[in-house]
Amino acid sequence: MTDIPEEVLPNDEAAFHYRLLMLDEFDGEIDGAKKYHKSLVEFRESANLREDWPFRRVYWGPMDPGFSSILESYDDLQLVYKEDDGNIHIYKETEKGSRVARGLKEGLRILKKDQTQQRETELQLIAKVNKDRLGSEIEEDDIIQKLKESPLGSEV
């Protein structure tokens, strides 16, 4: 019988899935990269994932440095696609992406139990609060403003 490793989903890999799970909590659509980034930042802060999921301070605030490449990978896998509406990127989850998100949630509930429930609740809360807000409104939240005080280019 083989031993099951204590860490079945390493944190450096698990951090990537929150991008898909956040989109799923927004009912499969987020209008604007700023809104997406700021919601991910708020989730990361509320879930105490700062050490495992570094963001970079750029001139408009904290940014997830792996965001574009991971969403491109999700697009290649036909989980998410991006539409352009003028200057705004609209991120949409595909039906396949929705099924993958559900599978991730169910799998993580089995593998990570208590931690998963807490993080699911935090994702749901942030999506509920931010769903009808603009990225510029989310940017005014205290947590984002505090991170914007960090020097440009630093990890936040």
Side-chain angles (χ1 to χ4, degrees), residues 22 26 35-43 126 130 138:
M22 179 66 74
F26 270 81
K35 182 175 189 171
Y36 209 155
H37 277 282
K38 302 310 178 215
S39 295
L40 289 170
V41 168
E42 289 183 340
F43 168 71
I126 288 165
N130 290 345
I138 300 167

Side-chain angles (χ1 to χ4, degrees), residues 70-134:
I70 289 168
L71 283 208
E72 285 177 24
S73 296
Y74 286 163
D75 183 44
D76 292 344
L77 294 168
Q78 298 176 346
L79 304 177
V80 173
Y81 65 96
K82 179 176 73 171
E83 290 180 359
D84 290 323
D85 183 15
N87 292 333
I88 297 176
H89 300 301
I90 301 170
Y91 300 91
K92 294 186 176 185
E93 179 181 58
T94 64
E95 186 176 322
K96 180 180 177 182
S98 178
R99 288 193 312 268
V100 168
R102 278 194 314 269
L104 276 170
K105 288 176 188 176
E106 291 172 16
L108 289 171
R109 284 180 196 139
I110 293 167
L111 296 173
K112 299 254 185 175
K113 295 180 180 70
D114 294 337
Q115 186 183 57
T116 299
Q117 180 59 46
Q118 176 189 0
R119 291 188 179 161
E120 272 187 42
T121 302
E122 289 162 356
L123 276 167
Q124 291 166 354
L125 178 62
I126 288 165
K128 182 178 180 179
V129 169
N130 290 345
K131 186 171 184 172
D132 295 324
R133 298 171 71 200
L134 298 172

Side-chain angles (χ1 to χ4, degrees), residues 46-64:
S46 68
N48 295 316
L49 293 170
R50 186 179 276 210
E51 290 181 22
D52 301 321
W53 191 6
F55 279 60
R56 179 129 343 255
R57 165 65 164 95
V58 294
Y59 67 90
W60 63 81
M63 184 188 98
D64 177 3

Side-chain angles (χ1 to χ4, degrees), residues 56-62 147-156:
R56 179 129 343 255
R57 165 65 164 95
V58 294
Y59 67 90
W60 63 81
L147 293 173
K148 286 177 77 172
E149 294 173 2
S150 301
L152 283 174
S154 65
E155 272 191 11
V156 293

Side-chain angles (χ1 to χ4, degrees), residues 24-38:
D24 190 63
E25 290 301 331
F26 270 81
D27 297 327
E29 185 173 323
I30 297 178
D31 297 343
K34 183 185 277 189
K35 182 175 189 171
Y36 209 155
H37 277 282
K38 302 310 178 215

